[in-house]
């Protein structure tokens, strides 16, 4: 008798036997079927039960559902032979639908650093644990990131799963394993590194300076997750020395004394910030940088002041990243950014009007609160560049992009363009991408930021705006001016050069404070604001790039507001030779009284000098802003 069917035979005396009109003997049997199987027994529209009646010659009736009954009675009547056939048919259907009890299954998430301990050499450890526990243990394959957490799937009975779990936790040090007395004398414990002392946790030594734990049995380094009480492996960050971040910002405000003017923040090295905060950060890949734009909320609510948000956001972000010292999943980075925004919002819960991009190793993660916009782009060139599709996380719009690992000499052709804007703007990602991609692929981020503001103005944005653009890509490699066969020697000589010759176009601006500057060429006062000067210089840059700088001298004579514009001919805008040694002496003597008399104030701003020594011969610079105005520089010698 199958377990799913409970049969009760009704013995009837000869006097109670049912007889048909032909006086044949009639049998009657009742089977009790689990209610979940009666639907299969009856079939759609009674199709199954009617077919059984025709095939067996018996009458089969399923009782109506009774809320108080555990099983449903199925009454079978007919000749003894027909009843037997019907009983077998019903049992066959019930048996075919019967499911064996499913094995239980448990999935553990284990840090990548501990996977080798679990598997063992040639799989010895995992096989031994399977034999000892009686459960099946499977470790998921890695996806190329050895530090990422891995899934360990345990299948078996509840008892075997519990035993296997205990064995795995013993291996990774989360549960007390065998005592020291159980070890053979031949087994040597790992030597503790200096700085580690006995802690309240029996198996772990603790270094108060680094806040790290050392397992006396396994030699593993870990940090204690106080929220769960679990020890987690400490990840070692990877340096990507082939990458660099170039960034530029631009701000457009209605007036210079606007206290709620938007702000831009660029933190090129978050590791230094963490060091200043005494926060652990060695688990984070390098380079690690942050760029952000912060604006004033357009609503009437008690939003976070712009200065406060811009001043404190990077600290909140660093502390969040420092609080988890194991490997980070890509989705977790979204939580770090949006969580930092909520930290800045504080008790009032109003998110700051901000767009922030976090760059960690080869990854870029961006998030923007309502009123701001973050756009990441992908593509091998400006013509093929498209915006990455964003997603919503914790009330913010987030996006993610990763730069693939490439061989040397190839990485410098790939990059991730980034665009951020804060303020009332109607730009969509397609317009943003079209506005900034060309300048970013040319590695002129300031020009890209100005182009983004120009596009926002053309789209009807009239209020204060802040834009920041950046590009994560391969480091710029100096190219030898000599023939290719000179090779590395020429590159080294170029890097050692101490003098360069440049020319410039200068457009001055007035901040609205202090003495109004005078154009030395026309002797007229300057009235334009910095936004106007930058947009005008962007138009000049676009024209020179289109003409391969052929009319630099002519444009300089017509527009430049520098005395060098009147030199005449091809020398228009020429600043002469800049000496790196003299510039260094000026920088060292700046602000120091009693310096050598030969050191005089340079007429060339430091920002221009810095850019000059980064240019190739004939190359045009990005837009450069100094205390004099907006510069466009070209190296000529």
């Amino acid at each position: 008798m199958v377990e799913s069917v409970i049969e009760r035979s009704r013995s009837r005396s000869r006097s109670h036997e049912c007889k048909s009109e032909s006086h044949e003997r009639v049998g009657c049997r009742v089977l009790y079927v689990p209610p979940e199987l009666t639907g299969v027994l009856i079939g759609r529209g009674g199709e199954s039960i009617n077919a059984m009646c025709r095939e067996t010659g018996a009458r089969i009736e399923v009782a109506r559902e009774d809320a108080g009954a555990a099983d449903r009675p199925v009454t079978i009547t007919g000749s003894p032979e027909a009843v037997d056939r019907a009983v077998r048919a019903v049992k066959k259907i019930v048996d075919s639908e019967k499911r064996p009890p499913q094995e239980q299954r448990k999935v553990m998430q284990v840090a990548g650093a501990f996977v080798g301990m679990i598997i063992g050499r040639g799989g010895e450890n995992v096989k031994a644990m399977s034999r000892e526990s009686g459960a099946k243990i499977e470790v998921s394959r890695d996806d190329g990131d050895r530090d990422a957490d891995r899934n360990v799937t345990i299948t078996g009975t509840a008892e075997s799963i519990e035993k296997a779990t205990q064995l795995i936790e013993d291996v990774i040090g989360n549960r007390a394993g065998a005592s020291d007395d159980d070890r053979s004398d031949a087994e040597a414990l790992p030597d503790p590194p200096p700085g580690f002392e006995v802690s309240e946790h029996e198996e772990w030594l603790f270094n108060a300076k680094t806040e790290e734990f050392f397992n006396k049995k396994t030699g593993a380094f870990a940090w204690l997750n106080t929220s769960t009480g679990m020890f987690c492996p400490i990840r070692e960050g990877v340096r990507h020395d082939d990458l660099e971040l170039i960034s530029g910002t631009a701000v457009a405000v209605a007036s210079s004394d606007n206290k709620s003017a938007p702000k831009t923040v660029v933190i090129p090295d978050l590791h230094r910030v963490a060091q200043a905060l005494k926060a652990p950060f060695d688990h984070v890949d390098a380079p690690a940088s942050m760029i952000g734009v912060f604006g004033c909320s357009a609503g009437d609510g008690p939003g976070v002041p712009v200065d406060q948000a811009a001043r404190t956001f990077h600290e909140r972000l660093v502390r969040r990243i420092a609080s988890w010292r194991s490997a980070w999943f890509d989705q977790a980075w979204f939580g770090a950014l949006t969580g930092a925004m909520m930290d800045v919002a504080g008790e009032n819960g109003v998110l700051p009007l901000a767009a922030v991009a976090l760059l960690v190793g080869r990854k870029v993660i961006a998030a923007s609160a309502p009123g701001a916009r973050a756009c990441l782009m992908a593509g091998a060139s400006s013509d093929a560049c498209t915006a990455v599709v964003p997603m919503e996380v914790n009330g913010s719009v987030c996006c993610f992009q990763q730069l693939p690992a490439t061989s040397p000499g190839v990485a410098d052709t790939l990059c991730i363009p980034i665009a951020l804007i804060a303020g009332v703007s109607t730009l969509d990602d397609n317009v943003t991408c079209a506005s900034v991609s060309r300048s970013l692929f040319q590695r002129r981020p300031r020009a890209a930021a100005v182009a983004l503001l120009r596009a926002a103005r053309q789209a009807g944005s009239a209020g204060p705006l802040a834009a920041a653009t950046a590009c994560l890509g391969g480091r710029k490699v100096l190219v030898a001016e000599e023939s290719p066969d000179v090779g590395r020697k020429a590159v080294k000589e170029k890097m050692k050069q101490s003098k360069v010759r440049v020319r410039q176009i200068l457009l001055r601006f007035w901040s609205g404070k202090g003495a109004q500057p005078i154009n030395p060429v026309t002797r007229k006062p300057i009235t334009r604001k910095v936004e106007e000067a930058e947009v005008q210089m962007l138009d000049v840059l676009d024209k020179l790039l289109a003409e391969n700088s052929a009319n630099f001298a002519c444009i300089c004579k017509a527009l430049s507001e520098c005395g060098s514009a009147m030199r005449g001919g091809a020398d228009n805008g020429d600043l002469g030779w800049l000496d790196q040694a003299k510039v260094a002496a000026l920088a060292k003597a700046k602000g120091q009284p009693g310096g050598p008399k030969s050191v005089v104030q340079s007429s060339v701003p430091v920002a221009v000098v810095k850019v000059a020594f980064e240019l190739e011969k004939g190359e045009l610079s990005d837009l450069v802003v100094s205390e004099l105005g907006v510069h466009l520089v070209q190296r000529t010698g």
Side-chain angles (χ1 to χ4, degrees):
M1 181 67 63
V2 295
E3 296 178 1
S4 301
V5 180
I6 303 175
E7 180 183 355
R8 296 179 184 174
S9 298
R10 294 181 177 177
S11 59
R12 297 174 180 267
S13 62
R14 185 175 298 272
S15 60
H16 289 88
E17 288 181 349
C18 300
K19 294 186 179 181
S20 64
E21 293 181 357
S22 59
H23 303 285
E24 292 181 347
R25 294 176 59 190
V26 177
C28 182
R29 295 173 70 177
V30 178
L31 305 179
Y32 286 80
V33 178
E36 64 269 16
L37 298 180
T38 55
V40 179
L41 186 64
I42 296 172
R44 179 177 297 179
E47 182 179 350
S48 297
I49 197 169
N50 290 334
M52 282 192 292
C53 289
R54 289 193 301 270
E55 293 171 0
T56 63
R59 183 177 180 179
I60 306 172
E61 295 178 300
V62 179
R64 293 184 178 181
E65 184 175 0
D66 184 356
D71 297 306
R72 300 274 291 278
V74 178
T75 304
I76 305 173
T77 57
S79 67
E81 295 80 7
V83 170
D84 288 340
R85 288 194 297 268
V87 168
R88 288 195 296 269
V90 171
K91 289 181 178 180
K92 183 178 180 181
I93 291 178
V94 172
D95 283 341
S96 66
E97 293 298 322
K98 181 184 175 184
R99 295 287 185 266
Q102 293 185 353
E103 291 181 308
Q104 295 188 28
R105 182 170 171 266
K106 178 180 179 180
V107 178
M108 297 178 63
Q109 197 171 62
V110 177
F114 291 157
V115 170
M117 302 179 191
I118 295 173
I119 297 176
R121 181 177 298 178
E124 291 177 352
N125 291 355
V126 72
K127 292 176 183 177
M129 288 188 288
S130 292
R131 288 193 300 267
E132 184 175 347
S133 64
K136 183 179 180 181
I137 304 174
E138 297 175 294
V139 181
S140 65
R141 296 179 179 273
D142 70 87
D143 57 357
D145 185 359
R146 293 186 176 181
D147 293 324
D149 290 357
R150 304 267 287 278
N151 289 335
V152 178
T153 304
I154 309 171
T155 308
T157 64
E159 183 179 357
S160 64
I161 290 176
E162 182 180 358
K163 178 63 176 176
T165 301
Q166 180 177 343
L167 292 172
I168 292 172
E169 290 179 342
D170 287 344
V171 169
I172 63 178
N174 287 334
R175 185 188 293 267
S179 64
D180 292 343
D181 295 337
D182 296 331
R183 290 178 174 269
S184 65
D185 294 337
E187 289 183 280
L189 294 173
D191 294 330
F196 284 82
E197 299 178 352
V198 176
S199 73
E200 59 181 334
H201 305 278
E202 182 179 354
E203 293 187 7
W204 297 89
L205 301 178
F206 180 63
N207 187 320
K209 184 177 181 180
T210 61
E211 297 184 358
E212 296 177 0
F213 287 86
F214 175 80
N215 191 290
K216 295 186 290 185
K217 296 182 179 180
T218 65
F221 290 90
W223 61 281
L224 179 61
N225 186 343
T226 55
S227 61
T228 63
M230 300 285 285
F231 287 96
C232 305
I234 296 177
R235 180 182 183 272
E236 184 177 352
V238 179
R239 292 196 60 85
H240 298 269
D241 293 326
D242 59 321
L243 299 179
E244 69 175 346
L245 170 70
I246 58 169
S247 62
T249 63
V251 177
V253 296
S255 61
S256 58
D257 58 350
N258 190 347
K259 294 182 179 180
S260 61
K263 300 289 189 296
T264 61
V265 176
V266 178
I267 309 293
D269 190 351
L270 290 176
H271 284 85
R272 288 191 176 183
V273 175
Q275 186 177 10
L277 296 174
K278 297 182 179 180
F281 221 67
D282 291 340
H283 59 290
V284 181
D285 289 353
S289 310
M290 188 209 89
I291 61 172
V293 290
F294 301 86
C296 183
S297 176
D300 298 329
V304 181
V306 178
D307 285 342
Q308 178 182 332
R311 187 177 63 254
T312 62
F313 183 88
H314 64 280
E315 178 181 341
R316 306 278 188 171
L317 179 61
V318 166
R319 293 197 184 279
R320 276 189 168 266
I321 297 174
S323 67
W324 183 265
R325 303 175 67 180
S326 299
W328 282 67
F329 289 109
D330 294 341
Q331 291 285 344
W333 292 113
F334 294 146
L337 283 176
T338 58
M341 287 186 180
M342 289 187 284
D343 290 342
V344 172
E347 295 182 357
N348 61 30
V350 179
L351 292 177
L353 197 158
V356 182
L358 171 65
L359 300 92
V360 181
R362 313 190 83 83
K363 300 176 181 179
V364 180
I365 310 95
S368 59
R373 195 175 200 91
C375 178
L376 300 184
M377 289 151 271
S381 66
S382 59
D383 296 333
C385 192
T386 57
V388 175
V389 178
M391 65 188 76
E392 186 173 344
V393 180
N394 297 332
S396 300
V397 177
C398 301
C399 43
F400 173 90
Q401 184 66 4
Q402 183 167 352
L403 196 65
T406 55
S407 57
V410 179
D412 60 337
T413 65
L414 301 174
C415 66
I416 300 176
I418 307 159
L420 310 173
I421 188 167
V424 181
S425 172
T426 58
L427 293 181
D428 61 21
D429 286 345
N430 292 330
V431 176
T432 299
C433 184
S435 302
V436 305
S437 59
R438 186 181 65 173
S439 294
L440 285 177
F441 272 91
Q442 294 172 349
R443 304 207 168 199
R444 294 187 175 93
R446 181 103 191 183
V450 174
L452 186 58
L453 289 183
R454 180 176 64 182
R457 292 297 190 215
Q458 292 172 349
S461 299
L465 296 172
T469 62
C471 184
L472 177 68
R475 289 190 177 277
K476 182 179 178 181
V477 179
L478 292 175
V479 180
E481 296 174 4
E482 294 81 4
S483 59
D485 58 344
V486 178
R488 293 185 177 180
K489 183 178 179 180
V491 174
K492 289 182 179 180
E493 290 298 323
K494 179 177 177 61
M495 294 176 68
K496 290 180 181 179
Q497 62 191 1
S498 60
K499 294 182 180 181
V500 295
R501 189 167 188 172
V502 296
R503 58 182 178 178
Q504 74 163 356
I505 297 173
L506 171 64
L507 294 178
R508 299 175 184 266
F509 59 82
W510 184 38
S511 65
K513 295 181 179 180
Q516 194 169 3
I518 302 297
N519 184 338
V521 179
T522 63
R523 301 295 179 182
K524 294 181 179 180
I526 302 296
T527 59
R528 73 167 70 90
K529 304 300 181 184
V530 62
E531 180 183 0
E532 300 173 66
E534 287 182 319
V535 171
Q536 188 176 350
M537 189 64 83
L538 179 63
D539 293 336
V540 173
L541 174 61
D542 291 340
K543 185 174 182 179
L544 288 174
L545 289 174
E547 299 174 350
N548 199 22
S549 303
N551 294 318
F552 189 100
C554 295
I555 295 176
C556 177
K557 182 178 180 179
L559 298 177
S560 185
E561 296 167 343
C562 174
S564 62
M566 299 181 290
R567 291 186 182 275
D571 290 335
N572 285 340
D574 182 46
L575 298 179
W577 289 93
L578 302 181
D579 191 316
Q580 200 167 29
K582 289 184 178 180
V583 172
L586 286 171
K588 185 176 181 180
K590 185 178 180 180
Q592 295 182 2
K597 294 182 179 180
S598 60
V599 177
V600 295
Q601 180 65 34
S602 172
S603 60
V604 181
V606 175
V608 174
V609 175
K610 180 178 182 298
V611 168
F613 281 92
E614 295 174 352
L615 295 174
E616 300 284 345
K617 187 175 181 180
E619 183 181 3
L620 284 169
S621 72
D622 193 2
L623 305 189
V624 181
V625 178
S626 76
E627 64 276 9
L628 295 182
V630 181
H631 307 254
L632 185 61
V633 182
Q634 184 182 38
R635 182 184 164 193
T636 57

